[in-house]
């Protein structure tokens, strides 16, 4: 049985004429969409696309599968609409809160899938720092909010009406200027190797980062540049310019807009857990459905 998400990806490439344009339309990165298409080709047991410098074209098998896929996806869309009417997911508004990293790199695919399934639901997305997002959920300002916590670190303080569901755990990794000796190796780097290294210190007084910064201090990293507000784009840019090394979430490192060297750290003790915050007393069918979508989307991101 073919995965409907992969069938939709193939149809999008057929309509857009290239994997890159199809990825933009679906809210994926090009490498992520290429992985989905490769999996579909393995399921089909044959090549479905011919890739060339101008884009991609369907093979004979690809053309056949696209015709069938459109029919399957149309039937699924009709089923979604009928189910939406039965479960109260037709119309209304879903209000989301997110912090910047998740909002840019992880939320768009989930939003695209939700919009395809429930086109009548109005979506609003607001930018919140993690703790402020939890507060907004408690106050009824948003229905759901993406938040995060670092390990080591203090747990997220939660109002009595709010709970969180962990959906993604990622390691923290070292970033530096390209070619830096510390990020040139492939084996995990012991934290002791950071002794004496100039460190771009990331919000050391913020509760979320306090435990991480304390561990780096115990390893002997020497604060060189202080970034007191959560701004990973700036941190990666400073590391790229050679002003020091920094420890950031893996997702941040691999999506940096400035070139950086990246290396995993030994022990995997430094982590960030991304969760969705929700009210325990007023969960609507719309918010519940989106939580399920987030769970599936983030789970696939973690596996890849």
């Amino acid at each position: 049985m073919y995965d409907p998400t992969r069938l939709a990806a193939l149809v999008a490439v057929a309509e857009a004429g290239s994997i890159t344009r199809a990825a933009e339309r679906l809210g994926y990165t090009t490498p992520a969409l290429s992985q989905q298409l490769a999996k579909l080709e393995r399921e089909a047991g044959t090549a479905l696309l011919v890739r060339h410098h101008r884009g991609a074209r369907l093979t004979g098998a690809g053309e056949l599968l696209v015709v069938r896929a459109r029919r399957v996806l149309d039937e699924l869309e009709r089923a979604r609409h009928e189910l939406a009417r039965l479960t109260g997911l037709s119309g209304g508004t879903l209000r989301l809160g997110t912090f910047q990293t998740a909002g840019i790199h992880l939320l768009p695919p989930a939003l695209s899938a939700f919009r395809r399934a429930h086109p009548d639901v109005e979506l609003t997305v607001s930018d919140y720092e993690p703790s402020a997002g939890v507060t907004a959920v408690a106050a009824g300002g948003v229905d759901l909010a993406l938040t995060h916590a670092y390990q080591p670190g203090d747990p997220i303080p939660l109002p009595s009406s709010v709970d969180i569901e962990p959906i993604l755990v990622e390691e923290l990794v070292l970033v530096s200027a390209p070619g830096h000796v510390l990020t040139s190796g492939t084996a995990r780097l012991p934290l002791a190797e950071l002794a004496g290294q100039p460190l771009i210190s990331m919000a050391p007084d913020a509760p979320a980062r306090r435990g991480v910064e304390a561990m780096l201090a115990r390893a002997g990293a020497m604060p060189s540049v202080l970034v007191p507000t959560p701004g990973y784009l700036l941190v990666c840019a400073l590391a790229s310019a050679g002003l020091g090394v920094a420890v950031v979430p893996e997702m941040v490192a691999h999506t940096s807009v400035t070139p950086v060297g990246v290396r995993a750290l030994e022990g995997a003790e430094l982590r960030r857990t991304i969760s969705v915050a929700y009210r325990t007393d007023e969960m609507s069918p719309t918010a519940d459905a989106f939580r399920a979508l987030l769970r599936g989307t983030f789970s696939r991101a973690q596996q890849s």
Side-chain angles (χ1 to χ4, degrees), residues 17 39 97 124 128 130 136 148 206 244 277:
K39 290 177 182 177
T124 67
Y128 288 98
H148 63 61

Side-chain angles (χ1 to χ4, degrees), residues 28-294:
Y28 286 95
T29 64
T30 300
L33 188 61
S34 295
Q35 289 179 7
Q36 293 297 318
L37 293 167
K39 290 177 182 177
L40 182 61
E41 288 183 318
R42 288 196 293 272
E43 290 175 347
T46 187
L48 302 173
L49 293 167
V50 176
R51 296 154 177 85
H52 51 83
H53 68 282
R54 292 183 179 178
R57 63 175 177 82
L58 296 171
T59 64
E63 291 175 353
L64 184 152
L65 188 56
V66 162
V67 171
R68 301 292 191 273
R70 286 193 172 109
R71 295 176 185 171
V72 170
L73 294 172
D74 286 345
E75 285 298 319
L76 286 174
E77 191 68 20
R78 279 193 285 271
R80 288 191 188 102
H81 283 297
E82 291 170 8
L83 287 172
R85 286 193 293 272
L86 288 174
T87 58
L89 288 175
S90 181
T93 301
L94 178 62
R95 302 164 301 162
L96 304 171
T98 181
F99 61 95
Q100 188 177 73
T101 309
I104 293 174
H105 302 296
L106 289 178
L107 193 57
L111 286 172
S112 295
F114 189 83
R115 173 52 56 82
R116 290 194 298 272
H118 311 295
D120 297 330
V121 176
E122 181 182 343
L123 298 173
T124 67
V125 183
S126 303
D127 189 27
Y128 288 98
E129 285 304 308
S131 59
V134 171
T135 301
V137 171
V142 294
D143 301 306
L144 301 170
L146 293 176
T147 184
H148 63 61
Y150 287 85
Q151 292 82 39
D154 298 327
I156 301 171
L158 294 176
S160 59
S161 61
V162 175
D163 203 354
I164 59 172
E165 177 184 359
I167 49 180
L168 177 66
V169 179
E170 58 177 335
E171 292 183 22
L172 305 189
V173 297
L174 187 73
V175 293
S176 70
H180 192 287
V181 64
L182 287 184
T183 54
S184 296
T186 55
R188 288 180 175 271
L189 182 74
L191 278 182
E193 294 293 319
L194 297 181
Q197 290 293 327
L199 177 72
I200 300 170
S201 191
M202 179 70 189
D205 294 328
R209 285 281 305 199
R210 195 173 293 145
V212 173
E213 296 295 323
M215 181 172 280
L216 296 176
R218 289 195 296 272
M222 304 295 292
S224 174
V225 179
L226 175 64
V227 181
T229 56
Y232 279 126
L233 290 176
L234 175 59
V235 169
C236 288
L238 295 176
S240 178
L243 293 171
V245 298
V247 173
V248 303
E250 189 173 17
M251 186 194 318
V252 171
H254 291 299
T255 55
S256 172
V257 297
T258 49
V260 292
V262 181
R263 190 167 178 182
L265 297 167
E266 193 174 85
E269 297 173 331
L270 300 174
R271 302 184 303 278
R272 180 173 75 166
T273 300
I274 297 174
S275 304
V276 58
Y278 60 94
R279 288 185 64 90
T280 56
D281 55 352
E282 295 181 5
M283 183 56 65
S284 69
T286 305
D288 205 27
F290 193 74
R291 267 180 64 204
L293 245 178
L294 282 176

Side-chain angles (χ1 to χ4, degrees), residues 19-28 30 33:
I19 296 174
T20 298
R21 288 193 292 273
E24 292 172 353
R25 178 183 300 180
L26 295 175
Y28 286 95
T30 300
L33 188 61

